[in-house]
């Protein structure tokens, strides 16, 4: 464990949390601040309330490597539902278009996923945190506004379709930073011609960090402070993991 900050008694490092559904990433940070006894906490990569899985909390001096950790590739397990496009590109939005889902074969589905591999561009969704004239897009979206967004380069290094029970399709995707899985689902639906939205999402990896060492939100909320400190990944271990 990293040496505690003499002022706070809190060690520096990364605490991996398995985020529960129906809570924001900021909710997790707020719980961690109370449980660990420090305000110097940030998170690496927002997970939407609908999403679950790996949320990395940087604590004390680890906040200095937040951008570095956020820049690494990620892996997600997801489910898309064909036949309905939504305003947010996920199941929490309003349905904007519905179409009948043809009897797609596994080859049809795989072919659509295959169109979005390697390097390509995505148009960020209106519900993203990207700012337009200093205002996050999601705040504009809440007011019913839609503005032009510039495409952004992203990369998918690997994908796997694991279940097809139409209209649902389960998949795993390995992707670069700045990748929007909801947009991925939306675009695959558009490619298939019937529309789609993201109906489930779980982050299972970020860089070399996986869920194996993650604590639950319940443990974060109710666990002993010293036990939470012991669960943290130290700065020294992070350096070794990254080959520094």
């Amino acid at each position: 464990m990293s040496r505690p900050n003499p002022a706070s008694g809190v060690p520096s490092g990364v605490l991996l949390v398995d985020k529960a559904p129906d809570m924001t990433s900021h909710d997790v940070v707020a719980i961690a601040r109370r449980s660990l006894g420090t305000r110097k906490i940030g998170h690496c990569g927002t997970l939407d309330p609908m999403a679950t899985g790996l949320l990395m909390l940087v604590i004390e001096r680890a906040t200095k490597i937040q951008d570095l950790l956020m820049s690494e590739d990620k892996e997600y397990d997801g489910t898309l539902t064909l036949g309905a496009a939504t305003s947010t590109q996920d199941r929490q939005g309003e349905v904007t278009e519905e179409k009948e889902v043809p009897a797609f074969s596994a080859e049809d589905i795989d072919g659509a996923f295959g169109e979005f591999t390697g390097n390509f561009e995505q148009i960020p969704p209106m519900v993203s945190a990207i700012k337009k004239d200093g205002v996050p897009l999601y705040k504009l979206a809440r007011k019913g506004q839609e503005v032009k967004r510039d495409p952004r380069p992203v990369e998918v290094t690997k994908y796997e379709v694991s279940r097809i029970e139409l209209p649902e399709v389960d998949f795993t995707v390995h992707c670069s930073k700045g990748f929007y899985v909801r947009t991925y689902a939306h675009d695959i639906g558009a490619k298939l011609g019937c529309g789609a939205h993201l109906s489930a999402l779980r982050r299972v990896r970020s860089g070399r960090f996986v869920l194996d060492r993650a604590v639950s939100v319940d443990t974060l909320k109710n666990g002993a402070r010293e036990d939470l400190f012991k669960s943290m990944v130290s700065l020294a271990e992070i350096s070794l993991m990254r080959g520094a």
Side-chain angles (χ1 to χ4, degrees):
M1 191 189 302
S2 296
R3 189 177 306 166
N5 178 341
S8 66
V10 178
S12 298
V14 174
L15 183 63
L16 307 179
V17 179
D18 187 349
K19 189 185 91 63
D22 302 320
M23 64 187 311
T24 68
S25 298
H26 182 72
D27 290 339
V28 178
V29 171
I31 293 168
R33 284 174 172 159
R34 290 192 295 270
S35 296
L36 298 176
T38 178
R39 292 199 58 78
K40 201 168 183 182
I41 298 179
H43 67 77
C44 300
T46 300
L47 280 176
D48 294 323
M50 179 189 86
T52 66
L54 187 63
L55 186 67
M56 299 165 56
L57 303 184
V58 285
I59 297 154
E60 295 289 338
R61 287 185 292 114
T63 54
K64 294 180 180 179
I65 60 170
Q66 184 174 13
D67 289 347
L68 187 68
L69 296 177
M70 286 178 64
S71 70
E72 297 186 317
D73 64 317
K74 296 169 179 63
E75 181 180 346
Y76 295 91
D77 291 338
T79 301
L80 63 81
T81 299
L82 295 166
T86 72
S87 58
T88 57
Q89 301 180 344
D90 67 13
R91 63 176 166 81
Q92 296 185 312
E94 296 180 4
V95 174
T96 56
E97 187 176 23
E98 286 188 276
K99 290 185 179 180
E100 185 175 342
V101 180
F104 292 121
S105 67
E107 290 74 21
D108 293 332
I109 300 293
D110 189 69
F113 274 82
E115 291 287 325
F116 300 95
T117 55
N119 294 289
F120 59 97
E121 291 186 328
Q122 281 186 327
I123 297 176
M126 274 302 299
V127 289
S128 67
I130 293 170
K131 292 182 179 179
K132 178 76 171 180
D133 299 326
V135 181
L137 291 180
Y138 68 84
K139 289 190 175 181
L140 298 176
R142 286 175 187 166
K143 297 176 182 178
Q145 299 178 29
E146 182 163 352
V147 296
K148 184 178 182 296
R149 289 96 68 201
D150 293 327
R152 293 193 163 203
V154 294
E155 182 180 14
V156 168
T157 53
K158 181 182 177 183
Y159 75 89
E160 179 183 354
V161 176
S162 55
R163 179 182 71 98
I164 301 173
E165 291 183 16
L166 298 176
E168 292 186 344
V169 179
D170 288 351
F171 62 91
T172 298
V173 62
H174 300 238
C175 54
S176 61
K177 72 167 185 175
F179 185 83
Y180 292 99
V181 188
R182 66 174 70 219
T183 301
Y184 182 62
H186 174 87
D187 291 348
I188 287 169
K191 179 63 66 173
L192 287 166
C194 63
H197 63 273
L198 186 68
S199 47
L201 184 66
R202 182 165 177 78
R203 184 190 288 156
V204 297
R205 182 181 61 80
S206 181
R208 297 191 182 187
F209 297 94
V210 294
L211 280 166
D212 292 359
R213 290 181 62 174
V215 301
S216 67
V217 172
D218 184 66
T219 297
L220 180 64
K221 188 180 294 185
N222 301 308
R225 184 170 292 179
E226 285 300 320
D227 290 340
L228 292 172
F229 289 166
K230 290 174 184 176
S231 298
M232 287 168 53
V233 185
S234 70
L235 292 177
E237 187 177 349
I238 291 168
S239 293
L240 288 173
M241 289 171 69
R242 294 182 54 83

